[in-house]
Structure formats: structure tokens, C-alpha cells
Amino acid sequence: MCPFGIPGSGTTSTSKREIQRQRRDTRHTGLACSGATKIDILAEKATGPAVVEETVRRIQESKIFPDDHGLLRKIAYVESKDGTDKNTFRDPSSEAGVGIWQMDKVAFEDLKKQDFIKKKYADIKKHFGIDWNTVQRRDLYKPIVAALAARLYLSRFSVPILKHDKGQAEYWKKYYNSNHPNANDTVDGFLRDVKRLKEPSSQDEGCKHGLRNPSKNCKCLCEPGYKGEKCDLPDCGCQPSPCSGNGYCGISDDGKPRCVCRYRWEGECCETCPPAPIFGDPHILTIDGFEFDFFGIGTFWSCVSRANDFGVD
């Protein structure tokens, strides 16, 4: 009889979207993989993707604002490359944008005049301990203040924020970047930056087919079809043994992990084999692929059980 495996069960890999969701949702520790240092979102001039993502996560968690479908995160990269642009921390008296989210002077002062925005001051005080009535423009050097200012500004508009990048690019240009000193920025420029933002980051180096998760000591979380500390080994997802013990897991011509089966074995996990033919005088092809020719009188067995209580002749 042919042994069999269970295709696709027991794998510990996960989809890239799920990995990204886990990285976002489990970053409650405030740790980044690049050195795993504590992130202080109130620290002046703190920069980088880990700082931005932790800041955005904290705002989302507060539920002060409706879901922006990732727009606040994207604006940070588009406007200042997560604070790494040389003009991120201009003099607070400048008319131009200040801070990671590049809030210009006109927009910042306008926040103080909008009564419906003032209704959110109490929630900001509750969740972040920030009294918005006392916030000054220099406070935009702090990531959480800059992000809250940007999100407050976006809340001025009743137009819903779309989920897809093109719609968000047009929304950003019309409502956020239109009065910016560098208002020659374009929708196409926004889309190019967002595309770069979605590329694997340097903190994922060493994970060939996966991403690092800060909440799991920065260990690699592998994409489907891969395993190992570096997600560099193919995983065909067959249990209880790789490819049912009748082959090995390799990479197919289309670049995907796939079982390479031994002679006559087939199936996703090499779990089946066709009946062994017996014909003629007889000529026998055994289950494990050996050919025999017998010319004589007698009984010929294709296979028998170890207990010798079952067989095929």
C-alpha cells in the first residue's frame, strides 16, 4: 500500500499581508528590530520608520479618529522620509513645514480656530497627556504631536479617505499638500514614494522570504512555502513528513516550493502512486519501481504485509 501525507497542514508560515498585520498590531512593546531599543514618541527630533509606525499605531489605538487606511503613515514618508529629510526640523518660526508630517505655519494656526477640532482636545489629553491648548509649533519636533496635528488637520474635511493609493494621493494633494511651501509635489510623486515605502526595509535583512517581527525577538516570520531561521529553506507544507517520505521539497520552474517525487509517486505531497502493473508471463513492475520478469509456474506476489496476512498477487 502507498503511504500518504496530508498536503498543506502543519505549516508555520504565513502570508506577507498577515506578517505585515502582525508587525503592525503586535508592536505594543514599542521595540524596533534595528537594535530593539525603546521608542519614545515624545522625544524631540526622534525619526525613522519604527518611530513613525509606533506613533501611528498609538493614534489608531486611541480611536480618536476614524480609520485613515494608512494615509497618516504614508504622509510621514512622502513629506519628510520619516523625518530623515534634512529640512524636517526647520526653525519653528518658519512659514514652511515643521516636523515629520511637515505642518506649515498657516495650517498649524488654523487648528486653533476650528471649534469642532477643539472637541477632540479632551480625548487627546486623556490618551496622550497632551494639553493641546498649550501646544506650540516647536512641539511639532515631537513625533506624537506632529502626527496628531496632521490627523487633526485631516479631520477638517468631510470627504472620506479612500483605501487605495491613487485615491489617497489625490486626497493628500488636494487637502494636505495644496498650501505646502513645496506644493509642486505631485500625485505621481506621492505614488512613487509610497511604492518605495512598501519595499522590504533594511530591518528585514537576513529574512530571505519573510519579515522580522519585533514582538517575537525580531525572529523571521516566513512567507508561505518557506521555513528556517532565515526563511531560506523551501517548505512544501506536507505532514507528518516532508513530501510523505517519497520525495523532497525543492523549487519548481516557476520559482515556488514544490515536492519533487520519486519514480512513480505523484500528488502535491507525493502521497499517491498508481497500481503496479503485472502482465504477460508475468512481467512485474513493483510498487517501488523495480522491474522483474518471471518465466515459470507458480504464484507471484506484487506485495505482502509484514504480518503476511494480506497481499496482492
Side-chain angles (χ1 to χ4, degrees), residues 123-286:
D123 289 332
I124 291 174
K125 177 72 173 180
K126 174 183 176 182
H127 289 279
F128 301 103
I130 298 172
D131 183 355
W132 203 262
N133 289 300
T134 65
V135 169
Q136 303 297 315
R137 198 143 179 262
R138 182 181 175 82
D139 292 322
L140 295 176
Y141 285 0
K142 302 172 183 178
I144 187 60
V145 176
L148 284 169
R151 196 62 189 88
L152 283 169
Y153 187 80
L154 291 175
S155 69
R156 296 170 66 241
F157 310 105
S158 59
V159 180
I161 299 174
L162 301 179
K163 293 182 179 181
H164 56 83
D165 292 340
K166 181 67 180 299
Q168 291 187 0
E170 293 171 348
Y171 183 100
W172 160 84
K173 183 59 188 173
K174 183 174 181 179
Y175 297 110
Y176 195 87
N177 186 255
S178 58
N179 294 320
H180 194 281
N182 296 324
N184 57 342
D185 293 342
T186 64
V187 167
D188 287 341
F190 181 100
L191 293 173
R192 284 194 298 270
D193 280 343
V194 169
K195 183 178 179 180
R196 294 189 195 101
L197 176 63
K198 292 181 177 180
E199 292 174 351
S201 66
S202 60
Q203 67 174 311
D204 294 318
E205 290 179 0
C207 296
K208 187 173 182 180
H209 297 282
L211 302 171
R212 294 191 184 277
N213 188 345
S215 71
K216 301 294 183 182
N217 296 321
C218 294
K219 292 182 179 180
C220 294
L221 287 171
C222 302
E223 297 177 19
Y226 296 93
K227 62 182 180 179
E229 291 186 3
K230 298 181 179 180
C231 300
D232 57 348
L233 302 175
D235 179 13
C236 292
C238 302
Q239 297 296 324
S241 60
C243 299
S244 307
N246 302 313
Y248 66 90
C249 189
I251 304 297
S252 63
D253 292 339
D254 60 6
K256 298 179 180 179
R258 185 171 298 168
C259 282
V260 179
C261 302
R262 294 205 320 252
Y263 178 65
R264 297 193 71 249
W265 290 87
E266 58 188 35
E268 183 180 342
C269 289
C270 305
E271 71 274 17
T272 61
C273 59
I278 300 175
F279 60 94
D281 287 326
H283 305 291
I284 299 176
L285 178 63
T286 65

Side-chain angles (χ1 to χ4, degrees), residues 54-109:
E54 175 65 11
T55 302
V56 171
R57 187 197 66 79
R58 291 280 299 277
I59 292 176
Q60 291 174 335
E61 193 177 67
S62 73
K63 305 295 185 183
I64 296 174
F65 307 96
D67 188 1
D68 66 3
H69 307 297
L71 179 58
L72 189 64
R73 172 65 187 97
K74 295 168 188 175
I75 289 176
Y77 187 80
V78 172
E79 294 285 349
S80 72
K81 302 301 178 287
D82 292 342
T84 61
D85 185 273
K86 65 179 181 179
N87 294 318
T88 299
F89 302 105
R90 295 183 177 92
D91 188 297
S93 63
S94 170
E95 297 289 332
V98 172
I100 292 176
W101 278 265
Q102 289 293 282
M103 176 68 67
D104 64 39
K105 189 174 182 178
V106 172
F108 180 76
E109 292 178 349

